[in-house]
Amino acid sequence: MENRLNICRTQIRFDEETYRYLDAISDHPLGDAYIFSKVFVSFGNFDAFLKEGMIGLSEEFILKTEEFYDEAFFEEHNLVAMFSDERSGSNRLSLKEVETEGDVIKLQIGRERGLTMDMAYLFLFYVVEGKDILTSEASIEDQPVELW
């Protein structure tokens, strides 16, 4: 499986209002094993998400993200944007499985737990070749920890 997962750490004001916003626009309800995910099919919708919906993102983060995923990108691709608020900044996330069913993409993310007590706010971006995928589902699962 080609790993087309791009993980970007950022600072953001994350509160109940942000959680409600993400839950309202996510392609599936948020829950214990499910993180925010949404398929963006146009630059305009993605731009509005970054600039208006995710209040508190730095201008630098927005500009760098839009350099990767610009208007030309959306002509031939869709983009799954995911967000995870990690309880440890040393958690490591990786793509474990990708399935498609019709116009739905299901992504399974693995989490190796870290041992630090700092928070990390992570955006995960998955590039979808073509324009056929219109909705997403992203689950996250803890991987076993080997202590020695």
Side-chain angles (χ1 to χ4, degrees):
M1 162 182 43
E2 181 183 345
N3 191 345
R4 294 181 283 178
L5 186 67
N6 184 17
I7 302 174
C8 304
R9 181 186 294 244
T10 189
Q11 294 181 341
I12 188 171
R13 184 192 83 208
F14 189 76
D15 54 17
E16 288 295 319
E17 180 181 343
T18 306
Y19 179 86
R20 283 192 300 273
Y21 169 72
L22 290 175
D23 193 34
I25 69 165
S26 182
D27 285 339
H28 60 85
L30 304 182
D32 290 340
Y34 292 94
I35 60 175
F36 166 81
S37 71
K38 181 164 186 62
V39 175
F40 288 94
V41 299
S42 73
F43 178 78
N45 288 343
F46 184 59
D47 180 61
F49 169 74
L50 292 174
K51 292 180 178 173
E52 298 165 20
M54 295 302 295
I55 297 169
L57 284 176
S58 72
E59 187 173 328
E60 179 183 7
F61 178 82
I62 293 170
L63 290 173
K64 284 187 181 269
T65 303
E66 290 183 338
E67 280 179 28
F68 279 91
Y69 310 115
D70 59 8
E71 289 186 47
F73 168 87
F74 282 99
E75 289 175 10
E76 297 184 16
H77 305 88
N78 286 346
L79 182 68
V80 181
M82 295 164 277
F83 180 78
S84 182
D85 59 327
E86 293 295 313
R87 301 294 181 233
S88 173
S90 61
N91 286 356
R92 288 186 292 188
L93 304 182
S94 60
L95 184 61
K96 294 297 177 190
E97 189 175 326
V98 178
E99 292 179 29
T100 57
E101 293 179 13
D103 66 353
V104 179
I105 189 166
K106 296 180 179 185
L107 300 140
Q108 184 181 31
I109 308 297
R111 176 192 292 130
E112 289 182 47
R113 290 243 180 231
L115 299 174
T116 60
M117 299 298 285
D118 55 328
M119 293 284 296
Y121 299 106
L122 305 177
F123 278 96
L124 299 86
F125 299 108
Y126 184 84
V127 175
V128 177
E129 299 294 331
K131 304 296 282 178
D132 295 334
I133 297 297
L134 301 175
T135 190
S136 64
E137 183 178 294
S139 61
I140 194 162
E141 181 179 289
D142 287 331
Q143 303 300 302
V145 176
E146 293 187 32
L147 298 176
W148 43 75

